[in-house]
Amino acid sequence: MGYSIPVQKTVTLEKLQNHLHSLPEQPDAIPYITSYYKERWGFCLTQNARNKLIEGKYNIVIDSRLFDGILNYGELLIKGQSDKEVFISTYICHPSMANNELSGPTVTTFLAKWLMEQSSLNYSYRIIFIPETIGSIAYLSQNYQHLKSNAEAGFNISCVGDNRTYSYLPSRRGNTISDAVAKHVLKWMMWYPEYDSYSWSHRGSDERQYCAPGIDLPVASIMRTKYGEYPEYHTSLDDLENVVTPQGLQGGFEALKCALQILEKNVIPKMQVYCEPQLGKRGLYPKK
């Protein structure tokens, strides 16, 4: 179990069972279980392996350490013509899972590469790679005032690697430009009018922090199959064989790239001519 406390003891099978985690409904899958906020220990295993355990005493050894460390994150700022920013966040905390974890950093990396290849950008782009939840909270503690002043739009990138569906999760307010762009992209650019649309009550990733009261950044999510909505989620079956496909990753990348392209081209026309413009000399007025 992730973040188990160190243990060295001998226990009976009966007591060991209290520290084992498996999925009876998915007997070949190993569940992903962590204990960040409570000191405990345990093991994750398949139900099939658990069923083979025999009565007796078991020597338990978990050679881990709990200590005061540091929280690292990656940040990339791609400057555009404006100081106004598009904020992009993805998380890097449990890389054993392909869709729920690695698809986000993978697609985000290629989005950053594509942005850096553009000859000119209207917006600046702030891209961060963080541990989920604790990372976004730590980042906001240092940067939320800047983001509140400068972030025009934003996306939390997660679960963008399977080829089953597309999904949209709104910001808390649900009426930001990020929300409008996300819905437009999925319906008209990806030609997926029956994409899965969720409400704010279905939140579960870093949008909880970015859209929290008092923060309220314009952050929405464009996903393939949403976290928690596919059977391999948070198990060892979330891999390149069962879930993530090249087509799925490409679709996730294209959807988010389209969203950024729309943001770049989005303008509010400003009147340059007062009163009615002269249409005749521009060939726009009928002669008859």
Side-chain angles (χ1 to χ4, degrees):
M1 182 178 68
Y3 286 81
S4 286
I5 61 173
V7 176
Q8 187 166 353
K9 62 169 66 176
T10 299
V11 300
T12 64
L13 177 60
E14 181 181 4
K15 290 187 176 180
L16 176 60
Q17 293 284 9
N18 296 326
H19 298 273
L20 298 181
H21 304 276
S22 61
L23 298 169
E25 68 280 9
Q26 293 177 282
D28 294 317
I30 301 172
Y32 170 67
I33 306 292
T34 63
S35 186
Y36 291 121
Y37 311 115
K38 183 178 180 180
E39 292 191 0
R40 57 189 182 129
W41 63 271
F43 298 95
C44 301
L45 71 168
T46 67
Q47 185 64 41
N48 286 334
R50 188 172 185 175
N51 292 339
K52 294 177 181 178
L53 296 176
I54 61 175
E55 292 295 335
K57 293 186 177 181
Y58 289 78
N59 188 29
I60 307 303
V61 178
I62 299 178
D63 187 14
S64 60
R65 291 190 304 130
L66 301 181
F67 58 93
D68 292 333
I70 58 174
L71 189 152
N72 290 316
Y73 61 81
E75 182 176 27
L76 173 65
L77 177 62
I78 303 172
K79 291 292 292 181
Q81 297 179 33
S82 172
D83 289 332
K84 292 298 183 181
E85 297 177 358
V86 176
F87 178 60
I88 298 173
S89 176
T90 192
Y91 51 87
I92 52 173
C93 45
H94 42 280
S96 63
M97 280 157 282
N99 195 40
N100 178 231
E101 177 63 21
L102 291 180
S103 68
T106 299
V107 166
T108 302
T109 297
F110 278 85
L111 286 172
K113 182 177 183 293
W114 173 77
L115 287 166
M116 294 173 71
E117 292 171 348
Q118 305 310 300
S119 58
S120 178
L121 293 169
N122 291 322
Y123 287 110
S124 294
Y125 289 81
R126 187 172 299 274
I127 303 173
I128 65 171
F129 297 77
I130 55 170
E132 192 177 22
T133 304
I134 54 176
S136 53
I137 292 172
Y139 186 83
L140 286 170
S141 72
Q142 302 294 315
N143 299 283
Y144 81 95
Q145 290 180 329
H146 173 84
L147 291 173
K148 283 176 68 68
S149 298
N150 292 277
E152 290 287 291
F155 297 99
N156 182 55
I157 301 182
S158 171
C159 294
V160 285
D162 73 285
N163 200 29
R164 296 168 178 172
T165 188
Y166 284 92
S167 305
Y168 157 68
L169 182 77
S171 67
R172 186 170 72 92
R173 296 189 182 278
N175 60 355
T176 71
I177 189 171
S178 304
D179 295 294
V181 166
K183 290 184 285 187
H184 179 81
V185 164
L186 294 179
K187 184 175 182 179
W188 300 110
M189 308 299 288
M190 305 311 295
W191 298 107
Y192 220 91
E194 296 182 0
Y195 63 88
D196 294 328
S197 181
Y198 295 91
S199 70
W200 173 245
S201 64
H202 292 98
R203 65 194 180 277
S205 185
D206 284 321
E207 70 279 346
R208 296 171 299 154
Q209 318 309 329
Y210 299 137
C211 299
I215 303 294
D216 273 324
L217 297 178
V219 172
S221 296
I222 295 173
M223 294 172 279
R224 299 304 309 254
T225 306
K226 178 182 174 290
Y227 46 79
E229 298 296 327
Y230 59 98
E232 301 89 352
Y233 173 72
H234 270 198
T235 78
S236 58
L237 300 182
D238 186 349
D239 57 23
L240 298 176
E241 180 179 350
N242 294 292
V243 183
V244 170
T245 68
Q247 296 82 7
L249 286 168
Q250 186 69 36
F253 170 77
E254 293 295 340
L256 284 154
K257 186 179 80 169
C258 284
L260 302 185
Q261 289 175 316
I262 290 172
L263 287 169
E264 281 289 305
K265 295 180 182 300
N266 183 57
V267 295
I268 299 176
K270 294 183 179 179
M271 179 58 66
Q272 301 295 324
V273 178
Y274 295 102
C275 300
E276 185 181 82
Q278 221 291 342
L279 302 180
K281 66 180 181 180
R282 295 176 172 85
L284 299 175
Y285 197 82
K287 296 180 179 179
K288 295 183 179 179

